[in-house]
Amino acid sequence: MATSVDSPAFNPKSLAIQAAEQIREATGVETHDIAITLGSGWGGAAKHFGEPRAVIDAGNLAGFHRSEVVGHSGTLSSYQLPNGRNILILGARAHLYQDLGVDAVVHPVRVAANLGVKTLVLTNGAGGIKPTWKPGQPVIISDHINLTATTPLRGATFIDMSEVYSRELRDVALSVDPTLDDGVYVQFRGPQYETPAEVRMARAMGGDIVGMSTALEAIAAREAGLKVLGLSLITNLAAGISPTPLSHAEVLEAGREAEGRLAELLSTIVSRLP
Ligand code: 8IG
């Protein structure tokens, strides 16, 4: 059957409803409570959640695209925590720099919302601007600045952005590790890393963290009414802060070294989420 581009099948919100229905069938679970996106360095947390109830190849779900970036997986997995919570790990992130469009970027967030998820944990690997930070250090995202010049919202969708990253959820993270620092996440489109001048600009604007993923996802989450917890692994010092050039290999290496601690931290936070 020919499907026209005007067909509801191409509407991002109906694609998210379709994918959610496919996940309900694959998992046998009607409602998921928490969804987690695992960015660079955070992947080890999954094994702390026990045996997955189901692992779904994102390529088989409506609206998903196979991930292009080394170090990212392309599956969604469903777990049940000892406290009974159903959690969904969104292991198939699309980035703006892949040119799949902003709807593809936020699709996993919309799918989670359609599954009944109320709490979204967004993790990422990112560059650090605060001079006291060291590669391998996790930090809490307190707020963001969206420098992508785009948004997942369409039309007159004037959503409140005064507390995108829930104070309550940040306090849960702090209850697990009171030494966690926090900072403002600045999203650039990428894929190139920043120039030193761009990092100075981000710092002058009030930014502490530079990345390429989380602000757009958080906006879509707030549109859908989800509470958001954002966590960054500082995998590298931002350009000009770091004495050496940035490399993706360095990012992956910092992720690997921090993985054990991050896995423990994230799984404990998740077990305490309201
Ligand atoms: I990992 O230094 C990682 N992601 N924009 N800048 C930006 N994104 C990043 C960086 C960085 N490191």
Short mmCIF file of all heavy atoms in Angstrom, two decimals, residues 113-148:
data_model
loop_
_atom_site.label_atom_id
_atom_site.label_comp_id
_atom_site.label_asym_id
_atom_site.label_seq_id
_atom_site.Cartn_x
_atom_site.Cartn_y
_atom_site.Cartn_z
N ALA A 113 6.73 8.95 26.79
CA ALA A 113 5.54 9.64 27.32
C ALA A 113 4.28 8.84 27.00
O ALA A 113 3.38 8.70 27.85
CB ALA A 113 5.45 11.04 26.74
N ASN A 114 4.23 8.26 25.80
CA ASN A 114 3.06 7.48 25.41
C ASN A 114 2.95 6.15 26.15
O ASN A 114 1.90 5.51 26.12
CB ASN A 114 3.05 7.24 23.90
CG ASN A 114 2.52 8.44 23.15
OD1 ASN A 114 1.38 8.87 23.37
ND2 ASN A 114 3.34 9.03 22.30
N LEU A 115 4.05 5.72 26.75
CA LEU A 115 4.02 4.48 27.55
C LEU A 115 3.64 4.77 29.00
O LEU A 115 3.63 3.86 29.83
CB LEU A 115 5.39 3.81 27.51
CG LEU A 115 5.69 3.08 26.20
CD1 LEU A 115 7.16 2.72 26.11
CD2 LEU A 115 4.82 1.83 26.08
N GLY A 116 3.37 6.03 29.31
CA GLY A 116 2.96 6.38 30.67
C GLY A 116 4.10 6.86 31.55
O GLY A 116 3.89 7.13 32.74
N VAL A 117 5.30 6.94 30.97
CA VAL A 117 6.46 7.38 31.75
C VAL A 117 6.22 8.77 32.31
O VAL A 117 5.71 9.67 31.62
CB VAL A 117 7.73 7.36 30.87
CG1 VAL A 117 8.86 8.16 31.49
CG2 VAL A 117 8.15 5.91 30.61
N LYS A 118 6.56 8.95 33.58
CA LYS A 118 6.40 10.26 34.24
C LYS A 118 7.76 10.89 34.58
O LYS A 118 7.84 12.08 34.85
CB LYS A 118 5.60 10.11 35.55
CG LYS A 118 4.17 9.61 35.32
CD LYS A 118 3.26 10.75 34.86
CE LYS A 118 1.83 10.30 34.63
NZ LYS A 118 1.61 9.84 33.25
N THR A 119 8.81 10.06 34.59
CA THR A 119 10.15 10.54 34.99
C THR A 119 11.15 10.12 33.93
O THR A 119 11.24 8.94 33.59
CB THR A 119 10.54 9.92 36.35
OG1 THR A 119 9.56 10.28 37.31
CG2 THR A 119 11.90 10.42 36.80
N LEU A 120 11.89 11.08 33.43
CA LEU A 120 12.87 10.81 32.39
C LEU A 120 14.25 11.18 32.90
O LEU A 120 14.47 12.29 33.39
CB LEU A 120 12.54 11.67 31.15
CG LEU A 120 13.51 11.56 29.98
CD1 LEU A 120 13.48 10.16 29.36
CD2 LEU A 120 13.16 12.61 28.91
N VAL A 121 15.17 10.24 32.79
CA VAL A 121 16.56 10.50 33.18
C VAL A 121 17.38 10.61 31.89
O VAL A 121 17.44 9.65 31.12
CB VAL A 121 17.11 9.38 34.09
CG1 VAL A 121 18.55 9.71 34.52
CG2 VAL A 121 16.22 9.18 35.30
N LEU A 122 17.95 11.77 31.66
CA LEU A 122 18.75 12.01 30.46
C LEU A 122 20.21 12.06 30.88
O LEU A 122 20.60 12.90 31.69
CB LEU A 122 18.35 13.34 29.81
CG LEU A 122 16.93 13.41 29.25
CD1 LEU A 122 16.59 14.84 28.84
CD2 LEU A 122 16.77 12.47 28.06
N THR A 123 21.02 11.16 30.35
CA THR A 123 22.45 11.19 30.65
C THR A 123 23.22 11.45 29.36
O THR A 123 22.75 11.15 28.28
CB THR A 123 22.95 9.89 31.31
OG1 THR A 123 22.93 8.83 30.35
CG2 THR A 123 22.11 9.50 32.51
N ASN A 124 24.39 12.00 29.51
CA ASN A 124 25.21 12.27 28.33
C ASN A 124 26.68 12.35 28.73
O ASN A 124 27.02 12.45 29.90
CB ASN A 124 24.77 13.58 27.65
CG ASN A 124 24.86 14.78 28.58
OD1 ASN A 124 25.92 15.04 29.15
ND2 ASN A 124 23.77 15.51 28.75
N GLY A 125 27.51 12.28 27.71
CA GLY A 125 28.91 12.65 27.86
C GLY A 125 29.05 14.05 27.31
O GLY A 125 28.40 14.39 26.32
N ALA A 126 29.83 14.89 27.94
CA ALA A 126 29.87 16.29 27.55
C ALA A 126 31.21 16.91 27.90
O ALA A 126 32.01 16.33 28.64
CB ALA A 126 28.74 17.05 28.25
N GLY A 127 31.43 18.11 27.39
CA GLY A 127 32.63 18.86 27.72
C GLY A 127 32.38 19.71 28.95
O GLY A 127 31.29 20.22 29.16
N GLY A 128 33.41 19.88 29.77
CA GLY A 128 33.28 20.66 31.00
C GLY A 128 33.96 22.01 30.87
O GLY A 128 35.07 22.10 30.35
N ILE A 129 33.29 23.05 31.34
CA ILE A 129 33.86 24.40 31.29
C ILE A 129 34.41 24.82 32.65
O ILE A 129 35.39 25.54 32.73
CB ILE A 129 32.81 25.42 30.78
CG1 ILE A 129 32.33 25.04 29.37
CG2 ILE A 129 33.38 26.83 30.78
CD1 ILE A 129 31.28 25.98 28.79
N LYS A 130 33.76 24.39 33.74
CA LYS A 130 34.24 24.82 35.07
C LYS A 130 35.66 24.33 35.27
O LYS A 130 35.94 23.14 35.11
CB LYS A 130 33.36 24.24 36.19
CG LYS A 130 32.10 25.04 36.49
CD LYS A 130 31.49 24.63 37.84
CE LYS A 130 30.06 25.12 37.93
NZ LYS A 130 29.38 24.69 39.18
N PRO A 131 36.58 25.24 35.60
CA PRO A 131 38.00 24.88 35.67
C PRO A 131 38.32 23.83 36.73
O PRO A 131 39.32 23.12 36.62
CB PRO A 131 38.70 26.20 36.01
CG PRO A 131 37.70 27.28 35.76
CD PRO A 131 36.35 26.67 35.88
N THR A 132 37.45 23.70 37.73
CA THR A 132 37.72 22.73 38.79
C THR A 132 37.34 21.30 38.38
O THR A 132 37.68 20.35 39.09
CB THR A 132 36.92 23.09 40.06
OG1 THR A 132 35.53 23.23 39.70
CG2 THR A 132 37.41 24.38 40.68
N TRP A 133 36.60 21.15 37.28
CA TRP A 133 36.13 19.82 36.90
C TRP A 133 37.22 19.00 36.22
O TRP A 133 38.08 19.54 35.54
CB TRP A 133 34.91 19.94 35.97
CG TRP A 133 33.67 20.37 36.68
CD1 TRP A 133 33.48 20.52 38.02
CD2 TRP A 133 32.42 20.74 36.07
NE1 TRP A 133 32.19 20.94 38.29
CE2 TRP A 133 31.53 21.10 37.10
CE3 TRP A 133 31.96 20.82 34.74
CZ2 TRP A 133 30.22 21.50 36.86
CZ3 TRP A 133 30.67 21.22 34.50
CH2 TRP A 133 29.80 21.56 35.55
N LYS A 134 37.12 17.67 36.41
CA LYS A 134 38.10 16.75 35.82
C LYS A 134 37.36 15.75 34.92
O LYS A 134 36.24 15.35 35.23
CB LYS A 134 38.78 15.95 36.94
CG LYS A 134 39.44 16.80 38.02
CD LYS A 134 40.95 16.71 37.94
CE LYS A 134 41.70 17.59 38.92
NZ LYS A 134 41.06 18.83 39.34
N PRO A 135 38.01 15.33 33.83
CA PRO A 135 37.40 14.28 33.01
C PRO A 135 37.08 13.05 33.86
O PRO A 135 37.87 12.69 34.74
CB PRO A 135 38.46 13.97 31.96
CG PRO A 135 39.26 15.23 31.85
CD PRO A 135 39.28 15.80 33.25
N GLY A 136 35.93 12.45 33.61
CA GLY A 136 35.51 11.29 34.38
C GLY A 136 34.56 11.65 35.51
O GLY A 136 34.07 10.76 36.21
N GLN A 137 34.28 12.95 35.68
CA GLN A 137 33.44 13.42 36.78
C GLN A 137 31.99 13.56 36.33
O GLN A 137 31.72 14.21 35.33
CB GLN A 137 33.99 14.79 37.23
CG GLN A 137 33.18 15.47 38.29
CD GLN A 137 33.86 16.76 38.76
OE1 GLN A 137 35.01 17.05 38.40
NE2 GLN A 137 33.16 17.53 39.56
N PRO A 138 31.04 12.97 37.07
CA PRO A 138 29.62 13.18 36.75
C PRO A 138 29.11 14.47 37.41
O PRO A 138 29.53 14.80 38.52
CB PRO A 138 28.92 11.96 37.36
CG PRO A 138 29.82 11.49 38.45
CD PRO A 138 31.22 11.98 38.15
N VAL A 139 28.23 15.19 36.73
CA VAL A 139 27.63 16.41 37.30
C VAL A 139 26.13 16.43 36.99
O VAL A 139 25.67 15.79 36.04
CB VAL A 139 28.31 17.71 36.76
CG1 VAL A 139 29.79 17.74 37.11
CG2 VAL A 139 28.10 17.88 35.27
N ILE A 140 25.41 17.17 37.82
CA ILE A 140 23.96 17.30 37.65
C ILE A 140 23.67 18.52 36.76
O ILE A 140 24.29 19.57 36.94
CB ILE A 140 23.29 17.52 39.03
CG1 ILE A 140 23.54 16.32 39.95
CG2 ILE A 140 21.80 17.78 38.87
CD1 ILE A 140 23.10 16.56 41.41
N ILE A 141 22.77 18.37 35.81
CA ILE A 141 22.37 19.51 34.98
C ILE A 141 21.31 20.32 35.74
O ILE A 141 20.28 19.78 36.15
CB ILE A 141 21.81 19.05 33.62
CG1 ILE A 141 22.87 18.25 32.85
CG2 ILE A 141 21.33 20.25 32.79
CD1 ILE A 141 22.39 17.66 31.54
N SER A 142 21.59 21.62 35.94
CA SER A 142 20.65 22.46 36.69
C SER A 142 19.72 23.24 35.77
O SER A 142 18.61 23.62 36.17
CB SER A 142 21.43 23.43 37.58
OG SER A 142 22.31 24.20 36.79
N ASP A 143 20.18 23.49 34.54
CA ASP A 143 19.39 24.29 33.60
C ASP A 143 20.08 24.15 32.25
O ASP A 143 21.15 23.53 32.16
CB ASP A 143 19.36 25.75 34.07
CG ASP A 143 18.20 26.54 33.46
OD1 ASP A 143 17.53 26.06 32.54
OD2 ASP A 143 17.99 27.69 33.92
N HIS A 144 19.48 24.71 31.19
CA HIS A 144 20.17 24.63 29.91
C HIS A 144 20.02 25.91 29.10
O HIS A 144 19.16 26.75 29.37
CB HIS A 144 19.73 23.40 29.10
CG HIS A 144 18.39 23.50 28.41
ND1 HIS A 144 17.48 22.48 28.39
CD2 HIS A 144 17.81 24.50 27.69
CE1 HIS A 144 16.42 22.84 27.70
NE2 HIS A 144 16.58 24.06 27.26
N ILE A 145 20.90 26.02 28.10
CA ILE A 145 20.80 27.07 27.08
C ILE A 145 20.80 26.33 25.75
O ILE A 145 21.72 25.55 25.45
CB ILE A 145 22.01 28.04 27.16
CG1 ILE A 145 22.00 28.78 28.51
CG2 ILE A 145 21.96 29.03 26.00
CD1 ILE A 145 23.26 29.63 28.77
N ASN A 146 19.74 26.54 24.97
CA ASN A 146 19.59 25.82 23.71
C ASN A 146 20.15 26.69 22.57
O ASN A 146 19.52 27.64 22.14
CB ASN A 146 18.10 25.52 23.50
CG ASN A 146 17.79 24.95 22.12
OD1 ASN A 146 18.70 24.51 21.41
ND2 ASN A 146 16.53 24.96 21.75
N LEU A 147 21.33 26.33 22.10
CA LEU A 147 21.96 27.09 21.01
C LEU A 147 21.83 26.37 19.66
O LEU A 147 22.60 26.62 18.75
CB LEU A 147 23.45 27.34 21.30
CG LEU A 147 23.79 28.27 22.46
CD1 LEU A 147 25.30 28.54 22.48
CD2 LEU A 147 23.03 29.59 22.35
N THR A 148 20.86 25.47 19.56
CA THR A 148 20.73 24.72 18.30
C THR A 148 19.95 25.49 17.25
O THR A 148 19.89 25.06 16.10
CB THR A 148 20.00 23.38 18.53
OG1 THR A 148 18.66 23.66 18.97
CG2 THR A 148 20.72 22.53 19.56
#
